[in-house]
Amino acid sequence: MSAQLTRPLAEQLADDFGDWQPLLQAWAAGPAGRATIAAVDARVASGAVVYPPEPFRALALTPRTRLRVLILGQDPYHGPGQAEGLAFSVPSGVRVPPSLRNIRKEIARSVGGSALGSGSLVPWAQQGVLLLNTTLTVEDGRPASHARLGWQALTDAICIEAARSPAPVVFMLWGAHAQAKAPLLAAAGPQHPVLQANHPSPLSATRPPTPFIGCGHFAEANRLLGAAGRGAIDWVLP
């Protein structure tokens, strides 16, 4: 897999995304989707280095019918070789970024395991944890560079669809960008718990009003899933 986006988005959308396919196709066929696809593909055609190579990978790895937890990030990592289409995750062997180091610290604090190790969150995705960024692409060295290209229409639709699940889904909203989606979930009902805390970035992870370090979200998610008969997530990473 290339470390940057090379395949046009329109071509990638022809891939198999299982039960997310109708939602993706509806978005791609509408004016918002067409505008976003054209804008991102135009940036690539102009020579911009865009990450990740597979912006829809989270949907490919986590079918809607297996969804148990949805974790919202902001936009992909903007350094070479980091972004792999899953919020907060980096490929195995890549140095773990600061936000992910704090995630590992909180896992070790609340459910066990080591604070050190791999940065790949693929094992979570395979257990039904949708790792979704609010913006799905970014340019090299330019954080939030694609935040105004219209990705929110798609990520809003994904959140709404997830909240329609008849089985409980735990939503984890870390930081202001993720928490801006909270109103979309408000009508979903109490069967879908929404856990909120500061972003795990070193700039905010230990600060008020709701520090990420100490939030206990991983243990709480397992308690909620267990109470609903949905089983626990193995959060401990190698």
Side-chain angles (χ1 to χ4, degrees):
M1 183 171 68
S2 169
Q4 67 190 67
L5 179 61
T6 55
R7 288 178 66 207
L9 293 184
E11 181 181 315
Q12 294 200 30
L13 283 162
D15 295 345
D16 183 9
F17 294 97
D19 54 10
W20 291 111
Q21 197 82 28
L23 184 150
L24 278 173
Q25 294 302 325
W27 168 77
R34 292 197 303 270
T36 300
I37 291 165
V40 174
D41 286 346
R43 291 300 298 147
V44 174
S46 74
V49 175
V50 176
Y51 308 124
E54 298 177 4
F56 309 110
R57 189 174 180 225
L59 300 178
L61 288 179
T62 308
R64 183 178 55 80
T65 50
R66 292 182 56 204
L67 179 62
R68 292 193 284 164
V69 177
L70 194 156
I71 296 177
L72 275 176
Q74 187 169 335
D75 63 346
Y77 295 120
H78 54 87
Q82 292 182 308
E84 61 170 357
L86 304 171
F88 298 105
S89 182
V90 294
S92 295
V94 172
R95 184 178 180 182
V96 177
S99 292
L100 185 50
R101 286 202 298 271
N102 280 336
I103 289 172
R104 289 200 60 121
K105 286 179 184 177
E106 177 57 20
I107 292 169
R109 188 201 68 80
S110 59
V111 298
S114 172
L116 304 175
S118 171
S120 175
L121 305 183
V122 169
W124 292 1
Q126 293 171 332
Q127 295 178 75
V129 179
L130 183 62
L131 296 157
L132 182 70
N133 280 314
T134 56
T135 297
L136 299 190
T137 53
V138 72
E139 294 184 22
D140 181 59
R142 298 181 59 206
S145 50
H146 286 194
R148 297 186 178 182
L149 295 189
W151 280 117
Q152 288 74 19
L154 175 60
T155 54
D156 282 0
I158 293 169
C159 289
I160 291 169
E161 185 65 20
R164 289 176 177 151
S165 168
V169 174
V170 178
F171 291 85
M172 296 186 184
L173 310 184
W174 300 335
H177 280 265
Q179 289 162 13
K181 302 279 195 193
L184 298 175
L185 312 175
Q191 76 271 26
H192 298 305
V194 179
L195 308 180
Q196 301 190 53
N198 290 0
H199 194 276
S201 161
L203 295 175
S204 59
T206 59
R207 294 183 178 178
T210 313
F212 176 80
I213 300 297
C215 70
H217 282 185
F218 301 103
E220 178 65 2
N222 278 352
R223 186 190 70 78
L224 292 164
L225 290 170
R230 303 211 67 195
I233 303 293
D234 182 3
W235 296 110
V236 177
L237 296 164

